[in-house]
Amino acid sequence: MKQFFVLTLFPEMIQQTLSHSIMGRAQKEGHISVEAINIRDYTLNKQKHVDDYPYGGGAGMVMQAQPIYDAYQSIAEKAKGARVVYMTPQGRPFTQRIAEELSQEENLVFLCGHYEGIDERIIEEIVTDEISLGDFVLTGGELAAITIIDAVSRLVPGVLGKEDSFADESFSDGLLEYPQYTRPPVFHGKEVPEILLSGHHANIAKWRREQSIIRTVQKRPDLLETAELTAKERQFVERLQEELQETE
């Protein structure tokens, strides 16, 4: 069972969000566990403050090292050897490859910051990874941690029920996913591609691969640099790009 530990000021946000749908079922079935640790429980002052003014001046407040460190120590034995992920705009951008990397870990600890950030010394003391969802700033790290826990959990055996449920999804091989259709066969005059109704699995697989490449060229050409493509597929990409340039 994969264990996630979240150091946070809002444990109910973590617990409530991850208690529904697939994530909730995965916990009930014992594939994953999620434990939220309230950093505020480990402050030493009566007011339960976990922040203070930054040395050197400046706007906002900074989370103190002591309560974060003590909160971490409370689960250190259970999370022994775990990577500690700090959610920060300064971290490396999160990708499916990182999700796959983290899914190989038995335990993961997430540190959710607030205010103007956390005391640099706690980063030096316990953090092993700094990860960002993108070039924007949230009010806290909880939503980012929840997102990564969800992405990583989907790769844990048993969570989705079938191992191949995520095998052909966007980014699994560096490409976007092909178009999906379901009943009815005709909707608002638009028909499901005939190839998908043929029952010919090899031709369907070929069509889906081509559609993934086409979509990636049209929507996320930046992914093509690292996508897993054959020499023939690279030539196909070049033709598509030339056609797009001609229509612009």
Side-chain angles (χ1 to χ4, degrees):
M1 178 174 66
K2 183 177 293 297
Q3 299 184 91
F4 298 99
F5 302 91
V6 186
L7 306 177
T8 172
L9 295 179
F10 301 97
E12 65 281 358
M13 185 176 180
I14 302 295
Q15 294 163 338
Q16 291 174 9
T17 305
L18 295 175
S19 64
H20 303 282
S21 188
I22 293 173
M23 296 299 293
R25 185 172 67 246
Q27 292 181 68
K28 291 180 181 177
E29 294 177 352
H31 300 300
I32 65 171
S33 72
V34 180
E35 181 177 343
I37 299 89
N38 192 341
I39 296 171
R40 204 177 296 278
D41 289 343
Y42 295 87
T43 184
L44 301 180
N45 61 77
K46 295 180 180 179
Q47 294 76 24
K48 296 294 183 181
H49 290 163
V50 295
D51 59 324
D52 209 332
Y53 295 103
Y55 280 124
M61 306 289 276
V62 176
M63 289 182 68
Q64 298 170 298
Q66 174 271 314
I68 297 174
Y69 183 78
D70 287 354
Y72 170 72
Q73 287 300 314
S74 74
I75 50 95
E77 189 61 34
K78 291 186 290 185
K80 194 170 184 178
R83 289 162 68 171
V84 179
V85 180
Y86 175 44
M87 309 310 307
T88 169
Q90 299 183 30
R92 55 175 174 156
F94 185 63
T95 64
Q96 186 65 23
R97 291 288 181 269
I98 294 178
E100 293 168 358
E101 174 189 325
L102 295 178
S103 72
Q104 302 305 309
E105 301 291 329
E106 183 177 353
N107 302 317
L108 288 170
V109 178
F110 290 86
L111 172 55
C112 303
H114 272 270
Y115 314 119
E116 293 302 309
I118 66 177
D119 191 305
E120 185 69 19
R121 291 167 295 185
I122 201 67
I123 299 176
E124 297 170 354
E125 190 81 12
I126 69 171
V127 170
T128 62
D129 298 81
E130 295 183 48
I131 294 179
S132 168
L133 289 190
D135 296 335
F136 55 88
V137 181
L138 299 171
T139 55
E142 283 76 17
L143 289 175
I146 288 168
T147 299
I148 294 179
I149 290 172
D150 185 287
V152 172
S153 293
R154 300 176 76 261
L155 302 175
V156 175
V159 169
L160 292 185
K162 294 183 178 180
E163 293 291 331
D164 57 357
S165 294
F166 53 79
D168 295 326
E169 291 182 333
S170 291
F171 311 115
S172 60
D173 56 3
L175 299 172
L176 298 182
E177 189 180 14
Y178 48 78
Q180 296 276 19
Y181 300 86
T182 187
R183 298 176 183 177
V186 181
F187 177 71
H188 287 188
K190 297 180 179 180
E191 299 182 1
V192 172
E194 187 175 346
I195 184 68
L196 298 179
L197 307 176
S198 68
H200 196 298
H201 298 297
N203 287 345
I204 291 174
K206 181 181 178 182
W207 179 87
R208 285 175 167 171
R209 180 68 176 179
E210 289 178 350
Q211 291 299 311
S212 287
I213 294 173
I214 291 171
R215 280 200 160 183
T216 306
V217 169
Q218 293 174 336
K219 299 181 178 183
R220 288 292 306 277
D222 57 294
L223 297 175
L224 295 169
E225 293 184 11
T226 56
E228 300 172 6
L229 299 172
T230 64
K232 188 175 181 180
E233 288 173 338
R234 288 286 177 189
Q235 294 176 348
F236 180 47
V237 166
E238 291 176 2
R239 290 199 303 271
L240 290 172
Q241 291 173 329
E242 290 175 358
E243 292 173 3
L244 281 174
Q245 290 175 355
E246 291 175 358
T247 59
E248 291 178 352

